[in-house]
């Protein structure tokens, strides 16, 4: 039997792996990854080694900041970030959920002051089993992660 790779290896850059299925597109929107000119390959609902499905993003010639890694954790706490150097995985980072996240997520409460005042949004994060809860610093309302539909420009 021939071993096949569904998405080809990259020479230099970053692979965001083991993304919760359905979250790759949100990660791309959140990080604004289509705004720059890096070549990117996206795999959706790929069958992983350990049977479950995953999304995956490969970005050529780009690294991610620690802050971007934390942002990814909000959408996909099980993701792994692999830095690729000359075809080798030079570093593997398991993302971890930050305590709060600022300036990235739009508050789902349209009456929130963050819509009318020029302030950065700020949410406090809490993981409860499989769900991530976010509490807005400004309107003090709590949301489920999936209530967030928009990302700050
Ligand atoms: N990868 C890549 N290009 C390379 C090297 C690796 O696109 N030159 C990708 C692999 O396809 C994989 C991810 O980077 O999706 C991590 O690679 P590796 O650590 O070799 O794979 P695994 O051992 O399967 O990783 P894990 O244990 O995190 O599942
Ligand atoms: Zn709010």
């Amino acid at each position: 039997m021939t071993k096949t790779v569904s998405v080809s290896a990259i020479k230099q850059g970053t692979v965001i792996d083991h993304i919760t299925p359905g979250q790759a597109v949100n990660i791309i929107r959140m990080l604004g990854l289509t705004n720059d000119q890096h070549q990117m390959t996206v795999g959706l609902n790929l069958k992983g080694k350990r049977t479950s499905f995953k999304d995956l993003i490969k970005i050529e010639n780009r690294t991610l900041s620690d802050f971007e890694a934390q942002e990814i954790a909000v959408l996909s706490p099980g993701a792994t970030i692999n830095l690729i150097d000359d075809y080798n995985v030079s570093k593997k980072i398991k993302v971890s959920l930050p305590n709060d996240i600022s300036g990235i997520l739009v508050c789902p409460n349209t009456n929130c002051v963050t819509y009318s005042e020029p302030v950065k949004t700020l949410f406090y994060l809490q993981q409860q089993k499989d769900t991530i809860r976010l509490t807005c610093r400004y309107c003090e309302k709590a949301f489920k992660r999936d209530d967030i539909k928009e990302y700050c420009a």
Side-chain angles (χ1 to χ4, degrees):
M1 195 172 72
T2 336
K3 193 179 170 206
T4 54
V5 188
S6 38
V7 193
S8 60
I10 62 170
K11 184 169 195 286
Q12 205 77 29
T14 304
V15 177
I16 313 170
D17 200 1
H18 304 292
I19 299 171
T20 310
Q23 293 296 348
V25 171
N26 290 333
I27 289 173
I28 291 166
R29 284 176 62 213
M30 184 178 71
L31 298 181
L33 291 176
T34 49
N35 300 342
D36 47 27
Q37 304 288 309
H38 297 280
Q39 182 167 313
M40 206 157 61
T41 321
V42 181
L44 304 179
N45 291 320
L46 305 181
K47 192 137 179 351
K49 275 188 304 201
R50 295 177 283 273
T51 67
S52 62
F53 291 86
K54 65 175 184 180
D55 286 356
L56 172 151
I57 304 169
K58 301 191 181 194
I59 319 161
E60 316 241 358
N61 300 313
R62 190 189 193 281
T63 55
L64 293 176
S65 66
D66 291 347
F67 184 62
E68 287 174 316
Q70 293 190 337
E71 293 176 56
I72 291 169
V74 178
L75 295 184
S76 184
T80 319
I81 296 171
N82 300 275
L83 305 184
I84 312 293
D85 184 20
D86 196 19
Y87 288 107
N88 295 311
V89 178
S90 62
K91 194 170 175 195
K92 193 182 282 283
I93 305 159
K94 267 214 62 58
V95 301
S96 64
L97 197 69
N99 293 325
D100 53 55
I101 185 160
S102 162
I104 299 294
L105 310 175
V106 172
C107 185
N109 170 17
T110 50
N111 293 321
C112 182
V113 69
T114 55
Y115 281 82
S116 49
E117 298 291 329
V119 289
K120 273 189 182 178
T121 64
L122 175 63
F123 293 88
Y124 304 116
L125 304 178
Q126 259 184 314
Q127 183 148 23
Q128 290 171 342
K129 291 186 190 148
D130 284 343
T131 53
I132 294 173
R133 295 194 69 80
L134 304 95
T135 307
C136 175
R137 147 84 174 74
Y138 292 96
C139 65
E140 298 182 341
K141 288 196 185 317
F143 304 96
K144 289 203 280 294
R145 201 262 320 279
D146 293 345
D147 294 335
I148 306 280
K149 304 289 184 210
E150 295 297 328
Y151 304 98
C152 303

